[in-house]
């Protein structure tokens, strides 16, 4: 689970000095070797500031809010790829590719 408090945008954000809204998000990975390998990549991506950013929400249209970054995550334990959930056999290859494109290698 991710939890971000409201804050003030820094120099790396779209509107430095302006406030932004935080958020809470839940992501799911299977507890197996591939899930743990993906988790290690996602931790590195998080520490590199690649999992979230400040911007406009595609879902709500809200400006200056915490939004997902360019690395996809699973937000449901069920429902398959169409519902951003599991099962999704192609997910591990995609997350590795998305991380590698940002210089995050497992």
């Amino acid at each position: 689970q991710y939890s971000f408090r409201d804050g003030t945008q820094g120099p790396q954000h779209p509107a430095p000095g302006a406030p932004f809204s935080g958020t809470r998000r839940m992501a799911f990975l299977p507890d197996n070797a591939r899930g743990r390998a993906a988790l290690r990549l996602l931790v590195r991506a998080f520490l590199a500031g690649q999992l979230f950013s400040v911007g406009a929400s595609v879902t709500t249209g809200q400006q200056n809010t915490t939004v997902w970054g360019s690395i996809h995550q699973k937000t449901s334990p069920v429902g398959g790829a169409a519902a951003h959930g599991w099962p999704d056999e192609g997910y591990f290859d995609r997350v590795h590719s998305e991380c590698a494109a940002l210089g995050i290698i497992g």
Side-chain angles (χ1 to χ4, degrees), residues 15-106:
F20 72 89
S21 299
T23 191
R24 285 181 176 230
R25 301 285 170 90
M26 182 77 73
F28 298 88
L29 290 167
D31 186 12
N32 60 31
R34 294 185 84 190
R36 288 186 291 275
L39 177 60
R40 286 190 295 273
L41 279 177
L42 292 171
V43 167
R44 289 184 186 136
F46 180 83
L47 294 173
Q50 297 296 324
L51 293 188
F52 294 90
S53 63
V54 174
S57 169
V58 174
T59 307
T60 67
Q62 181 181 353
Q63 299 291 318
N64 298 317
T65 191
T66 305
V67 296
W68 291 108
S70 61
I71 299 171
H72 290 87
Q73 296 188 61
K74 293 295 176 181
T75 56
S76 176
V78 298
H84 307 288
W86 295 101
D88 181 352
E89 289 304 315
Y91 175 75
F92 296 113
D93 291 334
R94 288 193 311 276
V95 77
H96 281 274
S97 295
E98 291 168 353
C99 286
L102 296 168
I104 299 161
I105 308 297

